[in-house]
Amino acid sequence: MIILKSKKISKNLLTPAKTLVIGFLFMITLGTILLSLPIASANGVRIPFLNALFSATSATCVTGLAVIDTGTQFSLFGQIVMIVLVQVGGIGFMTMATIIALALNKRISLRERLILQEALNHGTINGVVRLVKKVILYSLLVELAGALLLGLHFFFMQNLSLGRALYFGIFHSISLFNNAGFDLMGTVNGPFSGLAPFVADPFINMITMVLVFLGGVGFIVLSDLIEFPNTRKISLHSKVVLTATTILIVVGTVAIFAMEFNNPYTLKPLHAGGKFLASMFQSVTTRSGGVSTLDIGAFHESTQFLLILLMFTGAAPGSTGGGIKITTFVLLLGAVHAMIRGRNDVILFRKRIAKDVVYKAITLTLLSILLVIVFSMLLSITEHQDFLTILFESTSAFGTTGLSMGLTSQLTPLGKVWIICLMFFGRIGPLTLIYALTRLRKNEPFNYPEGRIIIG
């Protein structure tokens, strides 16, 4: 009886937040073991453990930061391990487990639905299993379309063999849709070349931006958009995400275009159309895409700081992207606007937002800022780089963006550990991590007397 009771207690203590943390740790551990095998290395020599751990974490957390070039340093086996980690990490291991369970006609329990709700940032458990089915369906359809378009382009325009072109298409489509940013272009244009050779290629640019955008707006928004012809309704969440995303893309594009217009190392060599395309590409991918057609280290410092702000804001909840999430950013602006206007409530699209949601947004933002500050300080101790480069790297890791000013490949062993921690915390989310490390929350059975302090 005692043993049964302890098992029951331990099971109850395994909250959805703890389950997510343990699940991601398991995926990272498994990925590290597989990438450490000699068969995962292109030259058959075992990849150092820390590099394998860094790569597995970056892939599982769909970040894209790389200490070794994916195309030239990993074998076919290693590349497949990486892209599987990206796929599972992007749509969520609980989503994959649920689909397998449904395929085996297994019933999804209430506890599993609660975990899915936490994993997908869904507002309620109602319809969460139905959302999981949509996540898988939409992901496969988008990735398949992207793979075919990219594969045909690589075959006809890059003169790759049909098999290799299709493989490249599949790999990059999965990587881009999941906002991971890993690429195999090192085998064609040299290690760490990325998408820079395609800076003036409209087709690659547009396909990449569409894949990153669709992965970044989130599955709830995708579901609303696909079902709109039938329902003729768009949820408040989707309205906020689509409106704010469009505004940030436009503002980012215009700002990058203006600040880098005469920079001889970035936009200046390009024609007018190329300048605009490169500016838009960078504005879109900075939100969490992790790929770049320009040298980030060659940007003006003002542009680099703008990219830091965009990376910190990130993508939408329930998406494959990171950051504090765009809805959090909008709620913060809404709270400021409400305070200035003397309102008690935050109003968005004529809807009042619950105060606990606003408090959650403020808490998430402050915890995120604290994480970036602490790890930036730690990196400034171990890495011999200017602070803007370190801050950029920290924000990119936390926002699971994957962009770098060149620091990633030069990280010290301890610096790699700091970035690994930041990527993990950024993917899990500060609030989920806090909930996983603390006891079950209980409401106080009483109210404290009201007090006042002076602000401003």
Side-chain angles (χ1 to χ4, degrees):
M1 292 295 294
I2 296 177
I3 296 176
L4 291 174
K5 185 177 180 181
S6 64
K7 285 184 177 180
K8 183 177 181 181
I9 292 174
S10 63
K11 184 177 180 180
N12 290 336
L13 289 178
L14 198 60
T15 61
K18 290 179 180 178
T19 303
L20 289 178
V21 171
I22 293 172
F24 271 99
L25 287 175
F26 172 77
M27 289 301 303
I28 291 171
T29 302
L30 179 61
T32 302
I33 294 172
L34 293 176
L35 293 177
S36 297
L37 299 175
I39 192 177
S41 173
N43 56 14
V45 178
R46 189 184 297 272
I47 294 172
F49 172 79
L50 191 56
N51 287 348
L53 174 61
F54 191 101
S55 300
T57 305
S58 186
T60 305
C61 299
V62 289
T63 304
L65 291 175
V67 290
I68 56 177
D69 182 67
T70 308
T72 58
Q73 297 297 311
F74 285 116
S75 64
L76 178 62
F77 174 82
Q79 292 169 8
I80 292 175
V81 170
M82 288 287 288
I83 206 60
V84 169
L85 290 175
V86 166
Q87 183 73 86
V88 176
I91 65 176
F93 70 93
M94 273 304 300
T95 302
M96 298 293 292
T98 302
I99 290 298
I100 295 173
L102 291 174
L104 297 174
N105 292 321
K106 181 180 179 297
R107 181 177 172 274
I108 308 302
S109 67
L110 175 61
R111 182 173 174 276
E112 290 166 341
R113 292 171 190 265
L114 289 171
I115 297 173
L116 285 170
Q117 178 191 357
E118 182 83 18
L120 295 172
N121 281 314
H122 199 43
T124 174
I125 63 172
N126 293 331
V128 70
V129 175
R130 188 165 59 252
L131 178 60
V132 166
K133 295 177 182 178
K134 293 178 181 178
V135 167
I136 295 296
L137 178 62
Y138 299 159
S139 298
L140 292 178
L141 289 177
V142 173
E143 289 172 354
L144 179 60
L148 289 175
L149 291 172
L150 290 174
L152 291 175
H153 185 80
F154 289 138
F155 176 67
F156 289 108
M157 305 303 295
Q158 302 300 315
N159 297 320
L160 299 181
S161 64
L162 181 59
R164 193 181 182 198
L166 290 177
Y167 172 64
F168 267 45
I170 294 171
F171 186 99
H172 292 99
S173 181
I174 295 174
S175 178
L176 294 170
F177 176 73
N178 288 284
N179 283 206
F182 292 102
D183 67 85
L184 303 177
M185 292 304 154
T187 59
V188 179
N189 303 305
F192 296 106
S193 57
L195 298 185
F198 303 98
V199 64
D201 187 326
F203 186 85
I204 292 293
N205 277 257
M206 293 306 299
I207 295 298
T208 299
M209 286 190 286
V210 169
L211 287 172
V212 171
F213 174 82
L214 292 178
V217 295
F219 299 107
I220 297 174
V221 177
L222 285 179
S223 178
D224 277 357
L225 291 176
I226 292 173
E227 295 178 1
F228 179 75
N230 296 324
T231 62
R232 293 295 173 181
K233 290 192 302 182
I234 293 288
S235 66
L236 174 63
H237 171 82
S238 297
K239 289 179 182 178
V240 171
V241 169
L242 292 173
T243 302
T245 298
T246 302
I247 292 173
L248 283 184
I249 289 176
V250 172
V251 170
T253 300
V254 172
I256 293 171
F257 184 86
M259 290 189 288
E260 296 296 317
F261 188 84
N262 289 318
N263 188 338
Y265 303 106
T266 56
L267 293 185
K268 189 175 182 179
L270 303 175
H271 55 79
K275 287 183 173 68
F276 176 79
L277 188 63
S279 299
M280 177 180 283
F281 185 96
Q282 206 56 64
S283 178
V284 171
T285 190
T286 305
R287 301 284 307 292
S288 198
V291 287
S292 177
T293 56
L294 298 171
D295 181 7
I296 303 296
F299 280 173
H300 294 308
E301 289 186 349
S302 57
T303 311
Q304 292 168 346
F305 189 71
L306 171 66
L307 300 187
I308 289 174
L309 298 178
L310 292 175
M311 290 191 298
F312 186 75
T313 302
S319 72
T320 57
I324 62 171
K325 303 297 189 294
I326 194 167
T327 48
T328 302
F329 176 69
V330 171
L331 281 177
L332 294 178
L333 294 180
V336 172
H337 181 262
M339 180 62 67
I340 292 174
R341 296 292 298 273
R343 293 176 177 171
N344 293 324
D345 299 307
V346 175
I347 308 296
L348 297 175
F349 291 97
R350 298 183 179 180
K351 298 288 185 179
R352 178 175 57 85
I353 308 301
K355 283 185 170 57
D356 64 313
V357 177
V358 179
Y359 292 151
K360 185 177 180 180
I362 295 172
T363 304
L364 173 61
T365 303
L366 290 178
L367 288 175
S368 300
I369 292 174
L370 182 62
L371 273 175
V372 172
I373 289 175
V374 169
F375 279 92
S376 294
M377 292 175 65
L378 292 173
L379 283 169
S380 66
I381 296 173
T382 60
E383 313 304 309
H384 302 289
Q385 296 283 345
D386 63 274
F387 188 72
L388 185 61
T389 301
I390 289 174
L391 180 62
F392 192 100
E393 194 83 5
S394 299
T395 309
S396 178
F398 170 78
T400 67
T401 307
L403 297 177
S404 177
M405 291 169 58
L407 177 58
T408 306
S409 59
Q410 303 174 20
L411 287 170
T412 62
L414 198 52
K416 293 177 183 177
V417 173
W418 302 144
I419 295 297
I420 288 171
C421 293
L422 259 180
M423 291 190 293
F424 180 74
F425 295 157
R427 184 66 180 106
I428 291 296
L431 286 180
T432 301
L433 188 65
I434 292 297
Y435 294 159
L437 296 177
T438 55
R439 294 182 178 181
L440 295 175
R441 292 158 288 170
K442 295 181 179 179
N443 293 326
E444 297 286 357
F446 55 85
N447 290 326
Y448 290 98
E450 185 177 283
R452 289 191 175 275
I453 60 174
I454 301 172
I455 298 295

